[in-house]
Amino acid sequence: MKFVDDSQNLRIRLRIVQALVLLLLAVLAVRLYFLQVVKGAKYAEVAVNQRLRRLPIPAQRGAIIDRNGLLLVDSRPIYNILLSREDTKHLDRNSLIQPLAQGLNIDPQMLRERFHQVKNQPAFESIVIKEEANHSDIAWVDAHQLELPALRVEETPQRRYPANGVLAHVLGYVQEISPEQLEDPRYKSKGYKPGDIIGQDGIESVYDEFLRGRDGYREVVVDSRGHIQSERSRVEPQPGQDLIITIDSDLQAAAELELKNSPQGRGVIIALDPNNGEILALASAPTFDPNLFSQRITTKEGRAEYAALVNHPDKPLLNRAVQGRYPPGSTWKPLMAIAGLKQGDITVDNSNILCAGGIQIGNKHTRCMGGNHGSPNVHIAIAKSCDGYFYRLGLKMELEGMQQMVREFELDKRTGIDLPHEIVSITPSRELKAKLHPKTPEWTDIDTIHASFGQGQDVITPIALIRAHASIGMKGMMYVPHLLKEVRQVGSVGERQARPGRFFDRPQPKDLGIPPEQNATVVQAMWAVVNEGGTATGIKIPGFDIAGKTGTAQVVSLGKEGSEFRDHSWFVSYAPAYKPEIACVALIENAGLGSRFGAPSVRAVYDVYYNKKHGQPAAMKTNIALKIR
């Protein structure tokens, strides 16, 4: 039997094992050095962050108050249910849709859309699952904390607007910032983040940077399941700045009531102080409920309500004051008269022009809708609304004269009102004629005649028209119409500095340079419209001299049957005539004669103003239409 000595193999094996052990220890030492020294700071921060959580404290948005101190818009606390994205990052969130929808009575589709919208948000942001949670919702969250620890209930301010759509087109509304807005440089530069509630329309939008507060936060300690154990620190939010706006709620209510009771329930009434451009009332009908966007838009019913608004044929979301364009009809005539006098086509002492019941151009006769006024001067032409007079004045001025008038009254520009989405009026030009009528592109005398009495290519926004007429009352001083009266100061909160107050920053008027005698001639004629047997005599208020002009604007489909094709009814005015305190315009859609609907609507606003200003009731209306137009 051969003896085998294994002692050498055993020694080798032991050395191999020792080497492997030493190698493993070396690897562990290197890894430990890497984790503790090289990456130590990073992992320490991660560990702390897993233990600490920063939860935002939403700041209350500033209130909106009318010129008399009446609170119009404020914010009230509600409870929202949120889902922590960080605590659900390893989950398929679609698996949460069914239990959340059933437990909190939420539309599953809304949750799917919500999860999709926020998929690119930073991990530390939370997802709002349900707004304005009730006691039952909160109890459900409490009862399911073990299964759904990522849910939490948080108090937050919610915007509240006046009921029944009052002032909706002025106030606008707030809503959560959209993913598209977050990509827009205008919002990026202001530091908006996902989930922020921002002004989306009206003065909520224009003055968002003042109304928005500065959010605070609280730093809390959480356990491994995300449950809050204690609060470590807290930074209080700084509320937004309150806004005082120029609106007088009593005048606003009168304007809205007039529109509500108008034949079609559609139109615009604007009242302003011609001495500084402050808007006292701005009503556009039909209207909408801004609370839809701040309170109900995330629900199934709210989205259906919004779809109905968007698809409504009367366009309730349209602010007709700044986004509506209408042929001005005879309200164009005082502007033509001022321009004719300034340009020397007529003079104060010699302003007579033939009416003759109309004018013949080629084989086309265009009649004066008021009959034959003979050869009136400018005073009678305005008071009686003589078309024939202005046909011939337009021919004297020619297109270039009317375009000069447009530039001087800035009808070819935005007025600068502090509301979003203002559009520019359309005024006569050869380029527009060629664009609209490519088969007959040349500008002709017929085009001049149509443009001269507000029925051609000219379509004007109500805000531009009232601004121009108010400047006649103010002897040529034309102000920027505006809604901001004051932004109130907010004091410092912790390290956040105080935010200073401010006022409207464009108070200086444009001087149109109208010679006093020419201005007085037109003012006297507009006074006669109401007080001397003119077309609006029915709205006369003894002791409160109204100067104005009616207008009956033909719609495009003139001659067709149906109320939707009736003429638009205008009345534009200021009072008292020789030292105006207030100017007002009414445009009642498809109502008919300006004297029957536009003028009485303005009178209703003046009644409220007169009572407030003078403390006694104005004389009763004698109404209604006394004259033809």
Side-chain angles (χ1 to χ4, degrees):
M1 180 175 179
K2 186 179 178 181
F3 177 73
V4 178
D5 186 0
D6 292 332
S7 58
Q8 289 293 331
N9 290 337
L10 182 61
R11 192 174 296 116
I12 292 172
R13 291 173 184 167
L14 286 172
R15 286 177 179 171
I16 291 173
V17 170
Q18 288 171 346
L20 289 173
V21 170
L22 288 173
L23 180 62
L24 287 173
L25 289 174
V27 169
L28 287 173
V30 170
R31 182 63 180 165
L32 189 61
Y33 176 81
F34 180 79
L35 294 176
Q36 293 286 342
V37 179
V38 178
K39 295 290 185 179
K42 174 185 175 183
Y43 289 116
E45 183 181 350
V46 171
V48 170
N49 286 340
Q50 287 179 341
R51 189 167 58 87
L52 297 179
R53 189 73 51 80
R54 181 176 286 190
L55 302 178
I57 305 176
Q60 181 156 306
R61 199 171 172 86
I64 302 176
I65 302 164
D66 89 342
R67 66 185 301 116
N68 301 314
L70 179 69
L71 181 64
L72 299 171
V73 183
D74 66 352
S75 301
R76 300 173 192 172
I78 61 165
Y79 290 98
N80 286 346
I81 297 175
L82 298 96
L83 183 74
S84 168
R85 296 188 76 245
E86 187 172 355
D87 293 335
T88 57
K89 61 185 177 183
H90 300 302
L91 296 176
D92 177 6
R93 293 196 186 97
N94 289 327
S95 66
L96 301 174
I97 290 177
Q98 196 61 26
L100 290 175
Q102 289 181 349
L104 297 172
N105 190 27
I106 308 171
D107 179 11
Q109 183 58 30
M110 189 279 291
L111 279 177
R112 287 189 193 90
E113 293 175 4
R114 194 89 184 145
F115 289 156
H116 178 73
Q117 287 172 353
V118 301
K119 65 181 180 181
N120 295 324
Q121 282 187 11
F124 55 83
E125 297 288 351
S126 296
I127 305 169
V128 178
I129 298 298
K130 185 170 188 177
E131 294 176 305
E132 204 163 2
N134 56 32
H135 293 300
S136 175
D137 298 327
I138 295 171
W140 189 88
V141 172
D142 286 341
H144 292 78
Q145 275 297 287
L146 288 178
E147 309 100 277
L148 299 168
L151 285 180
R152 72 174 190 276
V153 179
E154 191 173 82
E155 184 179 298
T156 190
Q158 185 186 66
R159 211 61 165 159
R160 301 294 173 108
Y161 296 96
N164 303 318
V166 171
L167 260 177
H169 291 100
V170 169
L171 300 171
Y173 57 86
V174 296
Q175 194 177 359
E176 185 176 329
I177 192 168
S178 69
E180 293 76 20
Q181 288 174 317
L182 285 169
E183 295 301 317
D184 190 323
R186 291 176 300 169
Y187 294 94
K188 271 188 175 179
S189 62
K190 294 180 180 178
Y192 291 103
K193 61 183 186 304
D196 278 351
I197 300 296
I198 67 168
Q200 299 281 10
D201 205 351
I203 57 177
E204 288 272 28
S205 169
V206 173
Y207 295 109
D208 184 72
E209 65 177 293
F210 300 102
L211 289 165
R212 286 185 73 213
R214 305 288 183 260
D215 291 347
Y217 64 86
R218 59 190 182 119
E219 207 168 51
V220 298
V221 179
V222 298
D223 62 16
S224 59
R225 296 181 63 84
H227 295 158
I228 297 174
Q229 302 298 304
S230 62
E231 183 173 293
R232 181 169 170 172
S233 63
R234 186 183 185 93
V235 173
E236 295 296 336
Q238 184 183 42
Q241 295 175 267
D242 291 345
L243 245 63
I244 312 298
I245 62 173
T246 58
I247 290 291
D248 183 312
S249 293
D250 295 323
L251 272 60
Q252 181 71 26
E256 300 211 10
L257 182 62
E258 287 298 309
L259 293 178
K260 183 179 178 182
N261 294 333
S262 65
Q264 309 300 327
R266 302 191 308 268
V268 182
I269 296 178
I270 307 169
L272 57 78
D273 184 343
N275 296 280
N276 52 28
E278 291 184 356
I279 294 176
L280 305 173
L282 190 155
S284 173
T287 185
F288 65 96
D289 181 8
N291 291 301
L292 164 66
F293 298 93
S294 60
Q295 299 174 25
R296 306 189 296 276
I297 196 66
T298 57
T299 67
K300 187 175 182 179
E301 294 77 14
R303 288 187 295 176
E305 189 179 344
Y306 175 68
L309 283 175
V310 171
N311 297 318
H312 198 290
D314 288 344
K315 300 180 179 178
L317 295 174
L318 182 74
N319 184 349
R320 287 165 161 77
V322 298
Q323 296 175 287
R325 281 190 289 229
Y326 306 87
S330 294
T331 62
W332 191 247
K333 292 170 181 171
L335 308 182
M336 286 283 292
I338 288 285
L341 288 164
K342 283 191 70 179
Q343 294 172 24
D345 297 300
I346 54 176
T347 66
V348 172
D349 298 325
N350 185 12
S351 63
N352 293 73
I353 297 178
L354 185 67
C355 166
I359 192 169
Q360 186 79 25
I361 301 292
N363 59 359
K364 182 176 177 58
H365 181 77
T366 305
R367 66 189 178 98
C368 175
M369 300 298 286
N372 191 336
H373 298 93
S375 182
N377 60 20
V378 70
H379 179 94
I380 295 174
I382 291 175
K384 304 295 182 183
S385 201
C386 174
D387 294 334
Y389 182 96
F390 286 95
Y391 297 159
R392 291 174 174 82
L393 177 59
L395 291 174
K396 280 174 169 276
M397 293 170 61
E398 300 183 340
L399 173 63
E400 287 68 24
M402 285 186 277
Q403 290 180 318
Q404 183 178 336
M405 173 194 80
V406 164
R407 289 191 294 273
E408 290 189 359
F409 283 105
E410 296 190 345
L411 297 173
D412 57 342
K413 299 178 180 176
R414 294 178 177 83
T415 64
I417 185 175
D418 44 355
L419 283 177
H421 316 307
E422 181 185 9
I423 62 173
V424 181
S425 302
I426 295 175
T427 52
S429 71
R430 288 185 169 81
E431 295 75 16
L432 183 61
K433 168 71 187 298
K435 181 179 179 182
L436 296 177
H437 303 281
K439 293 182 179 178
T440 54
E442 294 79 16
W443 185 270
T444 65
D445 285 347
I446 285 294
D447 298 314
T448 301
I449 287 171
H450 290 165
S452 67
F453 76 117
Q455 281 294 164
Q457 299 170 359
D458 23 350
V459 282
I460 309 297
T461 63
I463 191 66
L465 190 71
I466 184 61
R467 183 188 185 215
H469 276 274
S471 72
I472 296 175
M474 293 302 300
K475 301 179 175 58
M477 293 295 165
M478 191 163 68
Y479 290 83
V480 174
H482 62 276
L483 289 152
L484 177 66
K485 194 168 182 65
E486 179 186 357
V487 178
R488 284 182 173 169
Q489 178 180 335
V490 163
S492 60
V493 174
E495 295 181 353
R496 299 185 190 281
Q497 295 182 345
R499 300 165 67 184
R502 54 164 287 189
F503 299 93
F504 186 71
D505 58 6
R506 289 170 288 163
Q508 296 304 315
K510 174 184 177 181
D511 186 350
L512 301 181
I514 304 173
E517 67 278 10
Q518 295 180 4
N519 191 86
T521 298
V522 176
V523 170
Q524 180 70 29
M526 293 181 73
W527 176 87
V529 168
V530 179
N531 300 279
E532 204 175 64
T535 55
T537 304
I539 68 162
K540 180 177 179 180
I541 300 177
F544 192 63
D545 291 333
I546 301 171
K549 184 71 192 80
T550 54
T552 305
Q554 298 169 357
V555 298
V556 174
S557 301
L558 180 66
K560 294 186 177 180
E561 297 295 327
S563 59
E564 70 271 29
F565 300 122
R566 286 183 190 152
D567 298 336
H568 296 319
S569 179
W570 280 102
F571 187 65
V572 62
S573 65
Y574 43 87
Y578 302 101
K579 193 175 182 183
E581 302 168 3
I582 181 172
C584 189
V585 63
L587 178 281
I588 312 297
E589 288 187 11
N590 304 119
L593 297 177
S595 55
R596 283 195 69 184
F597 298 99
S601 295
V602 168
R603 164 67 192 264
V605 175
Y606 283 153
D607 282 343
V608 175
Y609 177 83
Y610 188 88
N611 293 346
K612 290 183 65 136
K613 180 78 175 179
H614 301 283
Q616 54 184 324
M620 294 297 292
K621 296 179 183 179
T622 56
N623 225 16
I624 289 294
L626 298 183
K627 300 294 176 182
I628 53 170
R629 309 187 71 206

